[in-house]
Amino acid sequence: MQSVQDLAAAVQRVIRNVESVIVGKAEAVTFTLIAVICRGHVLIEDVPGVGKTVLTKSIARSIGCSFKRIQFTPDLLPSDITGVSIYNQKTGNFEFRPGPIMAQIVLADEVNRATPKTQSALLEAMEESQVTVDGRTYPLPEPFMVMATQNPIEYEGTFPLPEAQLDRFMMNISLGYPSPADEINILNSQQDHHPLEDLQQIMTAEELLEIQKQVRSIHVDQSIREYIVAITNATRHHGSIYLGASPRGSLALFRAAQALAAIRGRSYVIPDDVKLMVKPTLAHRIIVTPAARVRSVTSSSILDEILQTVPVPGAWVGGGKAR
């Protein structure tokens, strides 16, 4: 097993490699790599054209994983995702033809444009890393990750993801528009050809699997565990929240903090790791009350408030040290 410093150096090389294509989005790239390390799935909510697809392709190429893209449309069927059994007249048997979900990194583009029945075809794959077709179960390749995108502006003709499906995404991130300087760099870098064409593989899928195992051994002190639970529990009792974060949210925050500590070269988690990962792991799991939405209160602003009120482990409060 490699040291935490070696692990951090390996992941940082991947991050720098992806940043050579995705300009000026270091935090989004880091968060996505954290989800990959934690065996989690990512929902990217952003307007078209900011690099969601390119980000997914860049990560897949950098870590040597197979990549498939599914364009979700209202007429997409579950079998278009999972695959279908076809009768072979020569052998007299049904043969399974795998769908695009049988890849290590899958991009579910505009996932909210498909019907709920088709969206649900992703649930078993995301939660169990397997698909069932005609009563037979087929394991998905390892590592496996779904990166789904949706446009947060245009809702006409869409089917919003239900809470149960949102909860299966470890993180919800946004790329946002680049700064003017970064946009000029994008124009310059793509004048002759796309930099994705020159992107090199930095890590193998086997090395990634080892990193995924090693990250789970990062130490999380009991006080940090209590801090994580206190934050998620606060979302369940806040006056402006109709539905708080689930225990799956606590686990996502726990895993993400471990991965962040590891890529920063530490074998233990500190409160700042938890704080940084609160919004990407919990914000999409919270439903704000209608009255709060009228006042333009968002889940992110509520989480900011919660972070201000929940005692931080080891902090000095009123002349004494908090647990």
Side-chain angles (χ1 to χ4, degrees), residues 40-76:
H41 309 288
V42 176
L43 177 64
I44 308 177
E45 286 189 282
D46 224 320
V47 295
V50 294
K52 301 185 292 292
T53 302
V54 175
L55 172 62
T56 311
K57 286 183 176 179
S58 301
I59 290 175
R61 187 168 297 184
S62 296
I63 60 180
C65 289
S66 58
F67 169 81
K68 290 289 179 66
R69 178 177 181 271
I70 308 171
Q71 183 63 53
F72 279 63
T73 56
D75 59 349
L76 192 74

Side-chain angles (χ1 to χ4, degrees), residues 1-24:
M1 181 181 291
Q2 62 183 341
S3 68
V4 176
Q5 287 72 28
D6 292 336
L7 183 156
V11 176
Q12 290 298 335
R13 285 195 296 271
V14 174
I15 290 174
R16 288 194 297 270
N17 197 52
V18 175
E19 286 181 338
S20 67
V21 178
I22 305 297
V23 180

Side-chain angles (χ1 to χ4, degrees), residues 278-289:
V278 163
K279 288 184 182 179
T281 57
L282 298 185
H284 63 291
R285 305 173 195 271
I286 292 172
I287 297 179
V288 180
T289 63

Side-chain angles (χ1 to χ4, degrees), residues 77-84 96-102 121 131-133:
L77 299 175
S79 59
D80 294 329
I81 297 174
T82 59
V84 65
F96 177 62
R97 300 290 175 87
I101 198 69
M102 293 291 184
V131 295
T132 302
V133 179

Side-chain angles (χ1 to χ4, degrees), residues 23-305:
V23 180
K25 300 299 175 185
E27 185 176 74
V29 172
T30 300
F31 286 170
T32 307
L33 259 297
I34 286 174
V36 172
I37 292 171
C38 296
R39 303 173 185 259
H41 309 288
V42 176
L43 177 64
I44 308 177
E45 286 189 282
D46 224 320
V47 295
V50 294
K52 301 185 292 292
T53 302
V54 175
L55 172 62
T56 311
K57 286 183 176 179
S58 301
I59 290 175
R61 187 168 297 184
S62 296
I63 60 180
C65 289
S66 58
F67 169 81
K68 290 289 179 66
R69 178 177 181 271
I70 308 171
Q71 183 63 53
F72 279 63
T73 56
D75 59 349
L76 192 74
L77 299 175
S79 59
D80 294 329
I81 297 174
T82 59
V84 65
S85 295
I86 298 177
Y87 182 72
N88 188 324
Q89 290 183 332
K90 290 184 178 180
T91 63
N93 297 318
F94 282 92
E95 296 178 353
F96 177 62
R97 300 290 175 87
I101 198 69
M102 293 291 184
Q104 291 169 315
I105 293 187
V106 177
L107 173 63
D109 208 2
E110 294 190 286
V111 66
N112 57 333
R113 293 208 171 275
T115 61
K117 184 177 181 180
T118 302
Q119 290 175 5
S120 67
L122 282 176
L123 291 181
E124 183 184 13
M126 292 171 63
E127 190 68 18
E128 307 293 339
S129 293
Q130 64 183 29
V131 295
T132 302
V133 179
D134 295 333
R136 291 191 61 184
T137 299
Y138 302 90
L140 297 174
E142 287 191 340
F144 174 73
M145 176 188 188
V146 171
M147 289 186 66
T149 71
Q150 63 178 5
N151 183 346
I153 304 300
E154 186 181 0
Y155 286 109
E156 185 177 350
T158 64
F159 302 87
L161 296 176
E163 176 62 27
Q165 190 158 334
L166 280 174
D167 201 38
R168 281 166 169 79
F169 287 98
M170 180 181 189
M171 289 191 199
N172 182 7
I173 65 174
S174 175
L175 293 175
Y177 288 117
S179 67
D182 288 334
E183 197 159 359
I184 290 173
N185 289 335
I186 292 172
L187 299 180
N188 294 336
S189 65
Q190 297 189 28
Q191 180 172 338
D192 298 320
H193 67 286
H194 202 292
L196 185 62
E197 299 172 11
D198 301 327
L199 201 65
Q200 300 296 315
Q201 179 179 333
I202 302 299
M203 182 185 297
T204 65
E206 291 72 23
E207 289 172 332
L208 175 60
L209 288 172
E210 285 301 316
I211 289 174
Q212 289 178 337
K213 292 177 183 177
Q214 188 174 350
V215 160
R216 296 206 170 192
S217 65
I218 297 297
H219 176 69
V220 184
D221 188 75
Q222 181 64 25
S223 63
I224 300 292
R225 296 168 191 253
E226 293 172 359
Y227 183 51
I228 290 171
V229 172
I231 292 171
T232 54
N233 190 56
T235 67
R236 302 164 193 164
H237 300 93
H238 195 282
S240 297
I241 295 178
Y242 173 72
L243 181 66
S246 67
R248 190 185 280 122
S250 298
L251 186 58
L253 180 54
F254 179 86
R255 298 289 188 212
Q258 283 182 304
L260 180 60
I263 67 176
R264 287 179 167 178
R266 278 185 278 102
S267 60
Y268 55 90
V269 173
I270 62 174
D272 283 348
D273 297 328
V274 176
K275 288 181 179 180
L276 185 59
M277 301 313 304
V278 163
K279 288 184 182 179
T281 57
L282 298 185
H284 63 291
R285 305 173 195 271
I286 292 172
I287 297 179
V288 180
T289 63
R293 284 201 300 270
V294 170
R295 305 195 308 272
S296 299
V297 174
T298 64
S299 57
S300 292
S301 63
I302 294 173
L303 288 172
D304 282 330
E305 179 187 330

